[in-house]
Amino acid sequence: DAIETLRAGSPALIAQILRHEADINGLERGIDEFTGQVIARRQPAARDLRLLKALIGATTDLERVGDESKKIALYARSIFAVGRSVLPRVTELAPMAALVRDMLRSATQAMETLEPTAAAALVRRDLEVNESFRAVLARLAGLMLEDPRSISSCLDILFVAKSLERIGDHAKNLGEHVVYAAVGKDVRHATPQEIEQVLRR
């Protein structure tokens, strides 16, 4: 939805994203409160405690995905408010946006099933997102040099690309939380090969 706002600048869709982001904030608070109550009342140990810690981390990452989506929608609102057309530039973000969307889908599925093998793939794909971001940055830099009048719209798209790159980071983090919940190993900042080695043990 956030990427779609860049195509048409729909005020209704932007408003919906802002409402959803506020809903996500409320859900995060509710989950934090619930897990705190479980820890205090039931005093879970071992695997159950790991699961709760992983879920707390996951809700933080999902809330931040909501924050980045809200940022994209707000960029769209400001872009269309001043009458700048960004449609020609949005196509340059399409592969990156598709990759990030697919990462999020895989990450949430892994959370639902507690399937840790997805984590290494998510780390690899996050490296692809980083490469895509660098490619977008290089392309936009070239466009700004060719036509200084495009600087404002190029910077808008750069900020959106940065939000997408951060969403990819959060999707990767979700996979790492799943590994922690499933096998009790902290694989933050690990390479795909290191994660695969942990999962083979």
Side-chain angles (χ1 to χ4, degrees), residues 67-152:
D67 288 344
E68 296 301 332
S69 298
K70 176 183 174 180
K71 283 182 193 176
I72 293 170
L74 292 176
Y75 288 133
R77 185 166 70 183
S78 66
I79 288 165
F80 282 90
V82 296
R84 278 204 298 270
S85 174
V86 295
L87 193 55
R89 304 287 179 258
V90 172
T91 56
E92 294 166 16
L93 292 176
M96 187 178 183
L99 179 57
V100 167
R101 216 173 13 241
D102 196 45
M103 283 180 69
L104 266 179
R105 191 177 300 111
S106 297
T108 53
Q109 287 172 350
M111 285 297 302
E112 288 172 11
T113 60
L114 288 183
E115 176 48 65
T117 55
L122 285 165
V123 172
R124 282 197 179 88
R125 294 169 85 189
D126 185 52
L127 296 174
E128 289 180 46
V129 172
N130 295 342
E131 281 296 317
S132 293
F133 175 73
R134 284 190 284 271
V136 169
L137 179 58
R139 175 69 177 142
L140 293 175
L143 290 169
M144 288 187 282
L145 285 172
E146 290 171 17
D147 181 7
R149 293 171 299 177
S150 72
I151 288 175
S152 293

